[in-house]
Amino acid sequence: LHVRDIPADFKMTDIQSAIVAVERSGQTYIDSGTIKGEIDGLIYPLNFLDYESFNPAVPKFAHTRPYQQMVFQYSLHTMDEPGGDLRHSYHLSRNDGRHPTEEIVERLYEDLNGRIGTIIIWSEGFEKTRNTEIGEMYPDYAPFLAELNENVYDLRKVFSRRLYMHPEFRGRDSIKKVLPVITDLSYEGMDIADGLTASIKWYHAATGRGTQEDRDKTFRDLEAYCHLDTLAMVEIYKHLLTI
C-alpha cells in the first residue's frame, strides 16, 4: 500500500529504485552538477511558454480534424538577461470572428520573432506538436514555428530524468506536483486549475453560453490559470539556480 513497504528484493528499474530510495530515506536527491550544466547552457532571452487548447471529437473550427488540439491561448514570460526583470505577454481568443489559432500565431510571432533565445516549456511533446500543426495550417509561419521547436528546452526533464527527486513529489513530475514542494506557489483554490476544465470552459464561453458576466469571469480565470503555468516555470527555474 505504500512505496516504503516494497520488499528490498523486489525487482525494479533503476528509476523506480531511485524513487523508492528517496521515499524510504525521506531525503531529497539533487544531481546539482548535471542540472547546473544544463541551466548554464540556456541562451537568453529565456521565454517561458505555455499553450491551452481545445480538442473535440467533432471539429468545431475550420482546418482541424477530430481530436486535434487547437490552441486558443498562450502565456509567455520573458527574462532578457540573467537576473533581469520579468516581462509577461499573452493572448486569449474570445472567438470574435477570426480563427482562434490564427490569432494565436500572429500574436506569438509579434512577441517572439527575432527574440527566440531559448523556449522553455514543460513537457516538450505537447507544445512542439502544436507548433508543427499550426505551421501546417498557416504555412507562412512554418519557418518561425520550426525555429521555436529547434530552441526548446523541456524543464520537466530535470524531474522526469530524476535529476531532482523529493519525497513529496511521490515519484511524479507534473508541474502541479513539483511547484508547491519547491516554491511558495500553488494551483490550490483556483477556479480553473487544470487543462481539461480550461478547455471545456473556454469553449462554452467562446460560443456564447451563459451570461456575459459568466463569460467574462471565465476569460479572467483562463488568463490567471495560463499565467500561473508560465510563472510556475520561472519560479522553478529560479529555484534550480540556487541549488
Side-chain angles (χ1 to χ4, degrees):
L1 296 180
H2 198 282
V3 170
R4 289 193 298 267
D5 298 331
I6 296 174
D9 60 351
F10 189 82
K11 195 169 184 178
M12 293 180 285
T13 65
D14 290 343
I15 286 179
Q16 289 169 341
S17 296
I19 293 171
V20 171
V22 166
E23 183 70 25
R24 283 177 176 155
S25 70
Q27 300 297 312
T28 302
Y29 169 82
I30 303 175
D31 183 345
S32 56
T34 300
I35 294 172
K36 186 177 187 303
E38 294 194 2
I39 295 298
D40 288 349
L42 301 180
I43 298 172
Y44 283 80
L46 304 183
N47 291 291
F48 300 81
L49 178 65
D50 180 70
Y51 292 151
E52 298 300 331
S53 63
F54 176 68
N55 65 326
V58 179
K60 305 294 185 183
F61 295 89
H63 313 301
T64 56
R65 53 177 168 72
Y67 296 109
Q68 180 175 329
Q69 300 276 3
M70 186 202 71
V71 179
F72 63 79
Q73 180 181 16
Y74 74 84
S75 175
L76 176 69
H77 275 91
T78 299
M79 189 180 298
D80 290 311
E81 58 187 9
D85 293 336
L86 197 62
R87 293 185 288 107
H88 181 245
S89 57
Y90 69 95
H91 185 67
L92 170 63
S93 169
R94 300 195 176 205
N95 194 28
D96 293 331
R98 301 188 62 211
H99 196 294
T101 303
E102 186 176 23
E103 292 182 47
I104 293 300
V105 70
E106 286 184 0
R107 288 293 297 273
L108 193 63
Y109 183 82
E110 291 176 8
D111 284 338
L112 283 175
N113 186 43
R115 301 177 295 279
I116 289 176
T118 302
I119 306 298
I120 299 180
I121 59 179
W122 195 276
S123 192
E124 65 182 348
F126 180 78
E127 269 80 9
K128 289 178 74 172
T129 302
R130 302 293 78 75
N131 287 337
T132 300
E133 291 172 344
I134 296 170
E136 292 169 353
M137 293 170 67
Y138 301 102
D140 287 349
Y141 292 100
F144 161 70
L145 294 163
E147 188 177 0
L148 293 189
N149 281 352
E150 289 168 2
N151 290 280
V152 158
Y153 178 74
D154 186 351
L155 193 59
R156 183 177 190 167
K157 287 187 175 179
V158 170
F159 305 93
S160 66
R161 288 161 54 201
R162 312 303 169 187
L163 302 177
Y164 192 129
M165 293 185 289
H166 191 290
E168 292 182 30
F169 293 167
R170 296 291 184 261
R172 297 171 63 187
D173 54 39
S174 73
I175 198 166
K176 293 177 179 62
K177 180 60 71 173
V178 171
L179 182 66
V181 175
I182 63 176
T183 77
D184 294 329
L185 297 178
S186 170
Y187 290 80
E188 194 72 30
M190 300 187 73
D191 287 334
I192 294 179
D194 66 88
L196 180 59
T197 301
S199 177
I200 294 169
K201 286 201 168 188
W202 172 80
Y203 181 68
H204 288 172
T207 54
R209 298 193 194 182
T211 66
Q212 185 62 52
E213 183 179 358
D214 290 338
R215 295 196 294 274
D216 288 342
K217 182 181 184 307
T218 291
F219 290 134
R220 289 195 301 271
D221 291 343
L222 284 165
E223 289 170 0
Y225 171 62
C226 200
H227 175 275
L228 181 55
D229 276 343
T230 50
L231 183 60
M233 287 189 279
V234 171
E235 294 304 316
I236 291 171
Y237 166 77
K238 288 181 177 179
H239 173 78
L240 295 178
L241 290 177
T242 68
I243 61 176

